[in-house]
């Protein structure tokens, strides 16, 4: 009991009843009760869901250190993808009772197996633009409105079909001036989010969100130029399954 209490920083409160403790301390009591059983596997079912935002952030860091100290396999269930990304050594994304993807957090975030995973992991979620694979003069490209993306070689088999192009909001460069190889986009909404601006824009009549610095001169109705960062595009078929490709593409 003493060891478990020290692990969750409750050693000085052992003479109190749980009802005399704060919400965060009561959560620690619940964790300590599980620890004293010395389980082979520790199951946590949304243990932070009843905490306020600041306490949740603090206890999340403490919980990660605790799990590292225990060296006990821990299955952590949560609907909060930020918790999953920050706490997990591996993340299993589930949908309708099936595991869609199970990999390290960075891999799940950077290379989602489906559009569902890409849209679920991340805030804001991954953007998806619909385009058509077309062939011209022996080359293949993606038609996106009146703009074109050079298609990776493994998309040639999908000539004439539509594909989904995925990109994260933080992987888009933005400029107030048109530059070679950039797509024109019209700003619809500007949202300050601390150190960044979250811009909702329209590209080829499709919605897209991007993050840029908070001193960027953005305003609703302004036309800007956007450009995906090298290697940032992810490709999916119309059923939402990933089409693996590590090739860089350019805008024509």
């Amino acid at each position: 009991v003493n060891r478990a209490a020290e692990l969750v920083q409750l050693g000085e409160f052992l003479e109190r009843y749980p009802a005399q403790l704060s919400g965060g301390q009561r959560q620690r009591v619940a964790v300590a009760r599980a620890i004293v059983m010395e389980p082979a596997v520790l199951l946590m079912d949304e243990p932070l869901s009843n905490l306020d935002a600041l306490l949740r952030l603090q206890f999340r860091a403490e919980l990660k250190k605790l799990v590292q100290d225990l060296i006990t396999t821990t299955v952590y269930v949560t609907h909060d993808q930020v918790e999953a990304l920050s706490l997990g050594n591996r993340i299993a994304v589930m949908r309708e009772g099936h595991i869609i993807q199970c990999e390290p957090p960075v891999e799940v975030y950077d290379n989602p197996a489906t559009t569902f995973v890409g849209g679920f992991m991340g805030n804001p979620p991954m953007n998806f633009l619909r385009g058509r694979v077309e062939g011209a003069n022996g080359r293949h490209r993606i038609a996106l409105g009146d703009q074109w993306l050079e298609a990776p070689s493994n998309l040639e088999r999908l000539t004439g079909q539509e594909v989904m192009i995925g990109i994260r909001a933080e992987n888009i460069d933005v400029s107030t001036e048109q530059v070679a190889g950039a797509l024109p986009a019209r700003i619809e909404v500007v949202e300050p989010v601390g150190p960044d601006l979250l811009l909702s824009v329209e590209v080829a009549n499709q919605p897209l969100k991007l993050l840029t610095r908070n001193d960027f001169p953005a305003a609703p109705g302004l036309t800007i130029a956007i450009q995906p960062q090298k290697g940032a595009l992810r490709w999916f078929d119309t059923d939402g399954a990933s089409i693996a490709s590590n090739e860089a593409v350019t805008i024509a």
Side-chain angles (χ1 to χ4, degrees):
V1 169
N2 287 326
R3 174 176 175 269
E6 290 301 324
L7 281 173
V8 296
Q9 300 178 24
L10 286 175
E12 60 184 293
F13 301 106
L14 283 177
E15 299 303 318
R16 298 189 188 183
Y17 289 100
Q20 297 173 298
L21 302 176
S22 69
Q25 289 169 334
R26 292 185 194 184
Q27 292 283 41
R28 297 181 199 178
V29 170
V31 173
R33 284 171 171 165
I35 291 173
V36 296
M37 303 303 295
E38 298 183 350
V41 177
L42 188 60
L43 173 61
M44 296 188 177
D45 188 3
E46 299 191 80
L48 310 185
S49 59
N50 294 323
L51 304 183
D52 60 52
L54 183 59
L55 193 55
R56 187 183 304 121
L57 184 65
Q58 176 184 349
F59 193 40
R60 191 172 72 204
E62 294 176 359
L63 190 58
K64 184 164 187 173
K65 184 177 185 302
L66 172 64
V67 171
Q68 291 171 345
D69 292 342
L70 287 175
I71 317 178
T72 298
T73 298
T74 303
V75 180
Y76 188 100
V77 182
T78 179
H79 288 84
D80 186 331
Q81 38 88 14
V82 175
E83 283 183 16
L85 288 169
S86 63
L87 290 173
N89 299 109
R90 292 177 67 82
I91 293 178
V93 182
M94 299 188 69
R95 185 183 190 188
E96 298 178 352
H98 298 279
I99 294 178
I100 306 300
Q101 186 170 4
C102 183
E103 292 183 283
V106 173
E107 185 66 20
V108 172
Y109 184 81
D110 286 342
N111 296 293
T114 67
T115 53
F116 172 80
V117 176
F120 182 71
M121 304 300 295
N123 184 24
M126 176 175 275
N127 295 291
F128 298 102
L129 299 174
R130 185 178 291 266
R132 179 178 295 275
V133 182
E134 297 184 356
N137 301 322
R139 301 171 61 189
H140 286 78
R141 57 190 187 179
I142 309 295
L144 190 65
D146 57 359
Q147 301 291 321
W148 305 90
L149 295 175
E150 294 294 332
S153 58
N154 65 327
L155 295 187
E156 294 180 6
R157 60 185 172 84
L158 299 176
T159 300
Q161 301 181 36
E162 290 190 337
V163 295
M164 303 296 292
I165 307 163
I167 186 168
R168 294 285 182 189
E170 65 270 21
N171 293 332
I172 302 173
D173 294 328
V174 57
S175 173
T176 55
E177 301 178 358
Q178 277 298 328
V179 294
L183 296 170
R186 184 179 185 276
I187 297 177
E188 301 291 335
V189 180
V190 179
E191 300 175 71
V193 285
D196 301 309
L197 288 181
L198 177 61
L199 305 183
S200 298
V201 305
E202 186 178 90
V203 181
N205 297 318
Q206 300 183 63
L208 180 139
K209 291 185 180 293
L210 61 90
L211 286 169
T212 187
R213 64 185 191 277
N214 60 9
D215 61 347
F216 183 80
L222 180 69
T223 297
I224 56 176
I226 65 171
Q227 192 167 26
Q229 295 172 2
K230 185 177 180 179
L233 296 180
R234 301 294 179 262
W235 307 89
F236 304 85
D237 61 28
T238 51
D239 292 327
S242 174
I243 305 171
S245 174
N246 294 320
E247 298 182 35
V249 300
T250 57
I251 299 173

